[in-house]
CSV table of all heavy atoms in Angstrom, one decimal:
chain,number,residue,atom,x,y,z
F,26,THR,N,5.5,25.6,-1.2
F,26,THR,CA,4.8,24.3,-1.2
F,26,THR,C,3.3,24.4,-0.8
F,26,THR,O,2.5,23.5,-1.1
F,26,THR,CB,5.5,23.4,-0.2
F,26,THR,OG1,5.3,24.0,1.2
F,26,THR,CG2,6.9,23.2,-0.5
F,27,GLY,N,2.9,25.5,-0.2
F,27,GLY,CA,1.5,25.6,0.3
F,27,GLY,C,1.2,24.9,1.6
F,27,GLY,O,0.1,24.8,2.0
F,28,MET,N,2.3,24.4,2.2
F,28,MET,CA,2.1,23.7,3.5
F,28,MET,C,1.8,24.7,4.6
F,28,MET,O,2.2,25.9,4.5
F,28,MET,CB,3.3,22.8,3.8
F,28,MET,CG,3.5,21.7,2.9
F,28,MET,SD,4.8,20.6,3.5
F,28,MET,CE,6.3,21.6,3.4
F,29,GLY,N,1.2,24.2,5.7
F,29,GLY,CA,1.1,25.0,6.9
F,29,GLY,C,2.5,25.2,7.5
F,29,GLY,O,3.4,24.4,7.3
F,30,ARG,N,2.6,26.3,8.3
F,30,ARG,CA,3.9,26.6,8.9
F,30,ARG,C,4.4,25.5,9.9
F,30,ARG,O,5.6,25.1,9.9
F,30,ARG,CB,3.8,27.9,9.7
F,30,ARG,CG,5.2,28.6,9.9
F,30,ARG,CD,4.9,30.0,10.4
F,30,ARG,NE,6.2,30.7,10.5
F,30,ARG,CZ,6.8,31.4,9.5
F,30,ARG,NH1,6.3,31.3,8.3
F,30,ARG,NH2,8.0,32.0,9.7
F,31,SER,N,3.5,24.9,10.7
F,31,SER,CA,3.9,23.9,11.6
F,31,SER,C,4.3,22.6,10.8
F,31,SER,O,5.3,21.9,11.2
F,31,SER,CB,2.8,23.6,12.6
F,31,SER,OG,1.6,23.2,11.9
F,32,THR,N,3.6,22.3,9.7
F,32,THR,CA,4.0,21.1,9.0
F,32,THR,C,5.3,21.3,8.3
F,32,THR,O,6.2,20.4,8.3
F,32,THR,CB,2.9,20.9,7.9
F,32,THR,OG1,1.6,20.7,8.5
F,32,THR,CG2,3.3,19.6,7.1
F,33,ALA,N,5.6,22.5,7.8
F,33,ALA,CA,6.9,22.8,7.2
F,33,ALA,C,8.0,22.7,8.2
F,33,ALA,O,9.1,22.1,7.9
F,33,ALA,CB,6.9,24.2,6.5
F,34,ARG,N,7.8,23.2,9.4
F,34,ARG,CA,8.8,23.1,10.5
F,34,ARG,C,9.1,21.7,10.8
F,34,ARG,O,10.2,21.3,11.0
F,34,ARG,CB,8.3,23.9,11.7
F,34,ARG,CG,9.4,24.0,12.8
F,34,ARG,CD,8.9,24.7,14.0
F,34,ARG,NE,8.6,26.1,13.7
F,34,ARG,CZ,7.3,26.6,13.7
F,34,ARG,NH1,6.3,25.8,13.9
F,34,ARG,NH2,7.1,27.9,13.4
F,35,ARG,N,8.0,20.9,10.9
F,35,ARG,CA,8.2,19.5,11.3
F,35,ARG,C,9.0,18.7,10.2
F,35,ARG,O,9.8,17.9,10.5
F,35,ARG,CB,6.9,18.8,11.5
F,35,ARG,CG,6.9,17.4,12.0
F,35,ARG,CD,5.5,16.8,12.4
F,35,ARG,NE,4.6,16.8,11.3
F,35,ARG,CZ,3.6,17.7,11.2
F,35,ARG,NH1,3.4,18.6,12.1
F,35,ARG,NH2,2.7,17.6,10.2
F,36,MET,N,8.8,19.0,9.0
F,36,MET,CA,9.5,18.3,7.9
F,36,MET,C,10.9,18.8,7.8
F,36,MET,O,11.8,18.0,7.4
F,36,MET,CB,8.8,18.5,6.5
F,36,MET,CG,7.4,17.9,6.5
F,36,MET,SD,6.6,18.0,4.8
F,36,MET,CE,7.7,16.9,3.8
F,37,LEU,N,11.2,20.0,8.2
F,37,LEU,CA,12.6,20.5,8.1
F,37,LEU,C,13.4,20.0,9.3
F,37,LEU,O,14.6,19.9,9.2
F,37,LEU,CB,12.6,22.0,8.1
F,37,LEU,CG,12.1,22.7,6.8
F,37,LEU,CD1,11.9,24.2,7.0
F,37,LEU,CD2,13.2,22.5,5.7
F,38,THR,N,12.8,19.7,10.4
F,38,THR,CA,13.5,19.3,11.6
F,38,THR,C,13.5,17.8,11.9
F,38,THR,O,14.3,17.3,12.7
F,38,THR,CB,13.0,20.1,12.9
F,38,THR,OG1,11.6,19.8,13.0
F,38,THR,CG2,13.2,21.6,12.7
F,39,GLY,N,12.5,17.2,11.3
F,39,GLY,CA,12.4,15.7,11.5
F,39,GLY,C,13.4,14.9,10.7
F,39,GLY,O,14.3,15.4,10.1
F,40,ALA,N,13.2,13.6,10.8
F,40,ALA,CA,14.1,12.7,10.1
F,40,ALA,C,14.0,12.9,8.6
F,40,ALA,O,12.9,13.2,8.1
F,40,ALA,CB,13.8,11.3,10.4
F,41,ARG,N,15.1,12.8,7.9
F,41,ARG,CA,15.0,13.0,6.4
F,41,ARG,C,14.2,11.9,5.7
F,41,ARG,O,14.4,10.7,5.9
F,41,ARG,CB,16.5,13.0,5.9
F,41,ARG,CG,16.5,13.3,4.4
F,41,ARG,CD,18.0,13.2,3.9
F,41,ARG,NE,18.1,13.7,2.5
F,41,ARG,CZ,17.8,12.9,1.4
F,41,ARG,NH1,17.3,11.7,1.6
F,41,ARG,NH2,17.9,13.4,0.2
F,42,LEU,N,13.2,12.4,4.9
F,42,LEU,CA,12.4,11.4,4.2
F,42,LEU,C,13.1,11.1,2.8
F,42,LEU,O,13.7,12.0,2.2
F,42,LEU,CB,11.0,12.1,3.9
F,42,LEU,CG,10.2,12.4,5.1
F,42,LEU,CD1,8.9,13.1,4.8
F,42,LEU,CD2,9.9,11.1,5.9
F,43,PRO,N,13.0,9.9,2.4
F,43,PRO,CA,13.7,9.5,1.1
F,43,PRO,C,13.0,10.2,0.0
F,43,PRO,O,11.8,10.5,0.0
F,43,PRO,CB,13.5,8.0,1.0
F,43,PRO,CG,12.3,7.7,1.9
F,43,PRO,CD,12.3,8.7,3.0
F,44,ASP,N,13.8,10.6,-1.0
F,44,ASP,CA,13.3,11.2,-2.2
F,44,ASP,C,12.3,10.2,-2.9
F,44,ASP,O,12.6,8.9,-2.8
F,44,ASP,CB,14.4,11.6,-3.2
F,44,ASP,CG,15.1,12.8,-2.7
F,44,ASP,OD1,14.4,13.6,-2.0
F,44,ASP,OD2,16.3,13.0,-2.9
F,45,PRO,N,11.3,10.6,-3.7
F,45,PRO,CA,10.4,9.7,-4.3
F,45,PRO,C,11.1,8.7,-5.2
F,45,PRO,O,10.7,7.5,-5.2
F,45,PRO,CB,9.5,10.6,-5.1
F,45,PRO,CG,9.5,11.9,-4.4
F,45,PRO,CD,10.9,12.0,-3.8
F,46,ALA,N,12.2,9.1,-5.9
F,46,ALA,CA,12.9,8.2,-6.8
F,46,ALA,C,13.6,7.1,-6.0
F,46,ALA,O,13.8,6.0,-6.6
F,46,ALA,CB,13.9,9.0,-7.7
F,47,ASP,N,13.9,7.4,-4.8
F,47,ASP,CA,14.7,6.4,-4.0
F,47,ASP,C,13.8,5.6,-3.0
F,47,ASP,O,14.3,4.6,-2.4
F,47,ASP,CB,15.8,7.1,-3.2
F,47,ASP,CG,16.7,7.9,-4.0
F,47,ASP,OD1,16.9,7.4,-5.2
F,47,ASP,OD2,17.2,8.9,-3.6
F,48,GLN,N,12.6,5.9,-3.0
F,48,GLN,CA,11.7,5.3,-2.0
F,48,GLN,C,11.3,3.9,-2.4
F,48,GLN,O,10.9,3.7,-3.6
F,48,GLN,CB,10.4,6.2,-1.7
F,48,GLN,CG,9.5,5.6,-0.6
F,48,GLN,CD,8.3,6.5,-0.3
F,48,GLN,OE1,8.1,7.4,-1.1
F,48,GLN,NE2,7.7,6.3,0.7
F,49,VAL,N,11.3,3.0,-1.5
F,49,VAL,CA,10.8,1.6,-1.7
F,49,VAL,C,9.6,1.4,-0.8
F,49,VAL,O,9.6,1.7,0.4
F,49,VAL,CB,11.9,0.6,-1.4
F,49,VAL,CG1,11.4,-0.8,-1.5
F,49,VAL,CG2,13.2,0.8,-2.2
F,50,ASP,N,8.5,0.9,-1.5
F,50,ASP,CA,7.3,0.7,-0.7
F,50,ASP,C,7.5,-0.5,0.2
F,50,ASP,O,7.7,-1.6,-0.2
F,50,ASP,CB,6.2,0.4,-1.7
F,50,ASP,CG,4.8,0.4,-1.0
F,50,ASP,OD1,4.8,0.4,0.2
F,50,ASP,OD2,3.8,0.5,-1.7
F,51,GLY,N,7.5,-0.2,1.5
F,51,GLY,CA,7.8,-1.2,2.5
F,51,GLY,C,6.5,-2.0,2.9
F,51,GLY,O,6.6,-2.8,3.8
F,52,ARG,N,5.4,-1.5,2.4
F,52,ARG,CA,4.2,-2.2,2.8
F,52,ARG,C,4.1,-3.6,2.3
F,52,ARG,O,4.6,-4.0,1.2
F,52,ARG,CB,2.9,-1.4,2.3
F,52,ARG,CG,2.8,-0.1,2.9
F,52,ARG,CD,1.6,0.7,2.3
F,52,ARG,NE,1.8,0.9,0.8
F,52,ARG,CZ,1.0,1.4,0.0
F,52,ARG,NH1,-0.2,1.8,0.5
F,52,ARG,NH2,1.2,1.6,-1.3
F,53,THR,N,3.5,-4.5,3.1
F,53,THR,CA,3.3,-5.9,2.7
F,53,THR,C,1.9,-6.1,2.4
F,53,THR,O,1.0,-5.8,3.2
F,53,THR,CB,3.8,-6.8,3.8
F,53,THR,OG1,3.1,-6.6,5.0
F,53,THR,CG2,5.3,-6.7,4.0
F,54,LEU,N,1.6,-6.7,1.3
F,54,LEU,CA,0.2,-7.1,1.0
F,54,LEU,C,-0.3,-8.2,1.8
F,54,LEU,O,0.4,-9.2,2.1
F,54,LEU,CB,0.1,-7.4,-0.5
F,54,LEU,CG,0.5,-6.3,-1.5
F,54,LEU,CD1,0.4,-6.8,-2.9
F,54,LEU,CD2,-0.5,-5.1,-1.3
F,55,ARG,N,-1.5,-8.1,2.2
F,55,ARG,CA,-2.1,-9.2,2.9
F,55,ARG,C,-2.2,-10.4,2.0
F,55,ARG,O,-2.7,-10.4,0.9
F,55,ARG,CB,-3.5,-8.8,3.4
F,55,ARG,CG,-4.2,-9.9,4.3
F,55,ARG,CD,-5.5,-9.4,4.8
F,55,ARG,NE,-6.5,-9.3,3.8
F,55,ARG,CZ,-7.7,-8.9,3.9
F,55,ARG,NH1,-8.1,-8.6,5.2
F,55,ARG,NH2,-8.5,-8.7,2.9
F,56,PRO,N,-1.8,-11.6,2.5
F,56,PRO,CA,-1.8,-12.8,1.6
F,56,PRO,C,-3.3,-13.1,1.3
F,56,PRO,O,-4.2,-13.0,2.1
F,56,PRO,CB,-1.2,-13.9,2.5
F,56,PRO,CG,-1.3,-13.4,3.9
F,56,PRO,CD,-1.2,-11.9,3.8
F,57,ARG,N,-3.5,-13.6,0.1
F,57,ARG,CA,-4.8,-14.0,-0.4
F,57,ARG,C,-5.3,-15.2,0.4
F,57,ARG,O,-4.6,-16.2,0.6
F,57,ARG,CB,-4.8,-14.3,-1.9
F,57,ARG,CG,-4.4,-13.1,-2.7
F,57,ARG,CD,-4.4,-13.4,-4.2
F,57,ARG,NE,-5.7,-13.9,-4.6
F,57,ARG,CZ,-6.0,-14.2,-5.9
F,57,ARG,NH1,-5.1,-14.2,-6.8
F,57,ARG,NH2,-7.2,-14.6,-6.2
F,58,GLY,N,-6.5,-15.1,0.8
F,58,GLY,CA,-7.0,-16.2,1.6
F,58,GLY,C,-7.3,-17.4,0.8
F,58,GLY,O,-7.3,-18.6,1.4
F,59,PHE,N,-7.6,-17.3,-0.5
F,59,PHE,CA,-8.0,-18.4,-1.3
F,59,PHE,C,-7.3,-18.4,-2.6
F,59,PHE,O,-7.1,-17.3,-3.2
F,59,PHE,CB,-9.6,-18.5,-1.5
F,59,PHE,CG,-10.3,-18.5,-0.2
F,59,PHE,CD1,-10.8,-17.4,0.4
F,59,PHE,CD2,-10.5,-19.7,0.5
F,59,PHE,CE1,-11.5,-17.4,1.6
F,59,PHE,CE2,-11.1,-19.7,1.7
F,59,PHE,CZ,-11.7,-18.6,2.2
F,60,SER,N,-6.9,-19.5,-3.1
F,60,SER,CA,-6.1,-19.6,-4.3
F,60,SER,C,-7.0,-19.4,-5.5
F,60,SER,O,-8.2,-19.4,-5.5
F,60,SER,CB,-5.5,-21.0,-4.4
F,60,SER,OG,-6.5,-22.0,-4.5
F,61,ASP,N,-6.3,-19.2,-6.7
F,61,ASP,CA,-7.0,-19.1,-7.9
F,61,ASP,C,-7.8,-20.3,-8.3
F,61,ASP,O,-8.9,-20.2,-8.9
F,61,ASP,CB,-6.0,-18.7,-9.1
F,61,ASP,CG,-5.4,-17.4,-8.9
F,61,ASP,OD1,-6.0,-16.5,-8.3
F,61,ASP,OD2,-4.3,-17.2,-9.5
F,62,ASP,N,-7.3,-21.5,-7.9
F,62,ASP,CA,-8.0,-22.7,-8.2
F,62,ASP,C,-9.3,-22.7,-7.4
F,62,ASP,O,-10.3,-23.2,-7.9
F,62,ASP,CB,-7.2,-23.9,-7.8
F,62,ASP,CG,-6.1,-24.2,-8.9
F,62,ASP,OD1,-6.1,-23.6,-10.0
F,62,ASP,OD2,-5.1,-24.9,-8.5
F,63,ALA,N,-9.3,-22.3,-6.2
F,63,ALA,CA,-10.5,-22.3,-5.3
F,63,ALA,C,-11.5,-21.3,-5.9
F,63,ALA,O,-12.7,-21.6,-5.9
F,63,ALA,CB,-10.1,-21.9,-3.9
F,64,ARG,N,-11.1,-20.2,-6.4
F,64,ARG,CA,-12.0,-19.2,-7.0
F,64,ARG,C,-12.6,-19.8,-8.3
F,64,ARG,O,-13.8,-19.6,-8.6
F,64,ARG,CB,-11.3,-17.9,-7.2
F,64,ARG,CG,-10.8,-17.3,-5.9
F,64,ARG,CD,-10.1,-16.0,-6.1
F,64,ARG,NE,-11.0,-14.9,-6.5
F,64,ARG,CZ,-10.7,-13.6,-6.6
F,64,ARG,NH1,-9.5,-13.2,-6.1
F,64,ARG,NH2,-11.6,-12.7,-7.0
F,65,ALA,N,-11.8,-20.4,-9.1
F,65,ALA,CA,-12.3,-21.0,-10.3
F,65,ALA,C,-13.3,-22.2,-10.0
F,65,ALA,O,-14.3,-22.3,-10.7
F,65,ALA,CB,-11.2,-21.6,-11.2
F,66,LEU,N,-13.0,-22.9,-9.0
F,66,LEU,CA,-13.9,-24.0,-8.6
F,66,LEU,C,-15.2,-23.4,-8.1
F,66,LEU,O,-16.3,-24.0,-8.3
F,66,LEU,CB,-13.2,-24.8,-7.5
F,66,LEU,CG,-14.1,-26.0,-6.9
F,66,LEU,CD1,-14.4,-27.0,-7.9
F,66,LEU,CD2,-13.3,-26.6,-5.7
F,67,LEU,N,-15.1,-22.3,-7.3
F,67,LEU,CA,-16.3,-21.6,-6.9
F,67,LEU,C,-17.3,-21.3,-8.0
F,67,LEU,O,-18.5,-21.5,-7.9
F,67,LEU,CB,-15.9,-20.4,-6.0
F,67,LEU,CG,-17.1,-19.5,-5.6
F,67,LEU,CD1,-18.1,-20.2,-4.7
F,67,LEU,CD2,-16.6,-18.2,-5.0
F,68,GLU,N,-16.7,-20.6,-9.0
F,68,GLU,CA,-17.6,-20.2,-10.2
F,68,GLU,C,-18.2,-21.5,-10.9
F,68,GLU,O,-19.3,-21.4,-11.3
F,68,GLU,CB,-16.8,-19.4,-11.1
F,68,GLU,CG,-16.3,-18.0,-10.5
F,68,GLU,CD,-15.8,-17.1,-11.6
F,68,GLU,OE1,-16.0,-17.4,-12.8
F,68,GLU,OE2,-15.2,-16.1,-11.2
F,69,HIS,N,-17.4,-22.5,-11.0
F,69,HIS,CA,-17.8,-23.7,-11.6
F,69,HIS,C,-19.0,-24.4,-10.8
F,69,HIS,O,-20.0,-24.7,-11.4
F,69,HIS,CB,-16.7,-24.7,-11.7
F,69,HIS,CG,-17.0,-26.1,-12.3
F,69,HIS,ND1,-17.4,-26.2,-13.6
F,69,HIS,CD2,-17.1,-27.3,-11.8
F,69,HIS,CE1,-17.7,-27.5,-13.9
F,69,HIS,NE2,-17.5,-28.2,-12.8
F,70,VAL,N,-18.8,-24.5,-9.5
F,70,VAL,CA,-19.9,-25.1,-8.7
F,70,VAL,C,-21.1,-24.2,-8.6
F,70,VAL,O,-22.2,-24.7,-8.6
F,70,VAL,CB,-19.3,-25.4,-7.3
F,70,VAL,CG1,-20.4,-25.7,-6.3
F,70,VAL,CG2,-18.2,-26.4,-7.3
F,71,TRP,N,-20.9,-22.9,-8.6
F,71,TRP,CA,-22.0,-21.9,-8.6
F,71,TRP,C,-22.8,-22.1,-9.8
F,71,TRP,O,-24.1,-22.0,-9.7
F,71,TRP,CB,-21.4,-20.5,-8.5
F,71,TRP,CG,-22.4,-19.4,-8.5
F,71,TRP,CD1,-23.3,-19.1,-7.6
F,71,TRP,CD2,-22.5,-18.4,-9.6
F,71,TRP,NE1,-24.0,-18.0,-8.0
F,71,TRP,CE2,-23.5,-17.5,-9.2
F,71,TRP,CE3,-21.8,-18.2,-10.8
F,71,TRP,CZ2,-23.9,-16.5,-10.0
F,71,TRP,CZ3,-22.2,-17.1,-11.6
F,71,TRP,CH2,-23.2,-16.3,-11.2
F,72,ALA,N,-22.2,-22.2,-11.0
F,72,ALA,CA,-23.0,-22.4,-12.2
F,72,ALA,C,-23.8,-23.7,-12.2
F,72,ALA,O,-24.9,-23.7,-12.6
F,72,ALA,CB,-22.0,-22.4,-13.4
């Protein structure tokens, strides 16, 4: 793998990481602060 020895040891002894095919992105996107209507209105008023 080209990993360092300590990194390889940590991955072998730590909790099992899910395989890429099974992994689900658990991150949550920050909600948009302003709606599409507000952004369209902004461009209209700006013009």
Side-chain angles (χ1 to χ4, degrees):
T26 64
M28 292 188 294
R30 200 170 185 82
S31 59
T32 302
R34 184 183 298 108
R35 185 170 60 252
M36 294 186 67
L37 288 167
T38 58
R41 185 182 185 279
L42 297 175
D44 288 330
D47 301 330
Q48 185 177 11
V49 177
D50 192 348
R52 294 176 296 176
T53 56
L54 296 177
R55 185 176 65 179
R57 296 179 62 178
F59 302 98
S60 64
D61 291 336
D62 284 345
R64 298 179 69 167
L66 177 62
L67 170 64
E68 293 191 15
H69 177 66
V70 171
W71 176 68

